[in-house]
Amino acid sequence: QVRLVESGGGLVQPGGSLRLSCAASGRTISMYAMGWFRQAPGKERELIASIPWTGDTRFYADSVKGRFAISRDNAKNTVYLQMNSLKPEDTAIYYCAASRSVLSMTIRGDVDWGQGTQVTVSS
């Protein structure tokens, strides 16, 4: 329904920063709740940040609070994840997601996914 393409991943040293982008096509994201998930090897996919279509209250997982920031630019049909103070534990594949609401995203009831971008934090 909506095509999502992530970019911006790569290798970064601990303490460094990366900015992930999620470009949407096919549909406008203006009426979607957007979010970022990540999945580390051997772990379940985890919701780490979300933003409703109204763009007001953000959600962050405890593991990334104070370090990551989600934002959206509806005019560019793009969602971003600014990641600061990166830790080795942040190493994962990061997936962009779109859903009808934050709730539906949280429970994964109706979610469109990007293909993911690898983030590796290592010295």
Side-chain angles (χ1 to χ4, degrees):
Q1 188 173 354
V2 57
R3 181 170 179 258
L4 305 172
V5 179
E6 303 95 336
S7 63
L11 175 65
V12 64
Q13 294 182 337
S17 298
L18 284 174
R19 183 178 175 86
L20 305 183
S21 298
C22 173
S25 61
R27 310 279 287 188
T28 177
I29 66 169
S30 62
M31 295 297 292
Y32 287 85
M34 304 297 296
W36 289 92
F37 289 74
R38 69 183 182 187
Q39 188 166 22
K43 305 292 185 180
E44 290 189 51
R45 192 169 297 188
E46 174 193 22
L47 176 65
I48 58 171
S50 65
I51 183 170
W53 68 268
T54 56
D56 48 7
T57 303
R58 276 85 158 157
F59 161 82
Y60 297 100
D62 288 343
S63 58
V64 305
K65 280 183 179 177
R67 300 189 297 120
F68 291 11
I70 187 172
S71 62
R72 63 193 297 159
D73 187 337
N74 289 347
K76 296 181 179 179
N77 224 28
T78 301
V79 179
Y80 304 96
L81 184 68
Q82 179 67 47
M83 305 186 294
N84 299 323
S85 301
L86 284 162
K87 306 174 181 179
E89 305 91 89
D90 296 319
T91 296
I93 300 175
Y94 284 71
Y95 298 90
C96 183
S99 192
R100 297 291 179 268
S101 68
V102 171
L103 177 61
S104 65
M105 179 173 295
T106 300
I107 66 175
R108 306 181 190 182
D110 184 16
V111 181
D112 294 327
W113 301 95
Q115 291 300 305
T117 185
Q118 177 71 46
V119 172
T120 302
V121 184
S122 176
S123 60

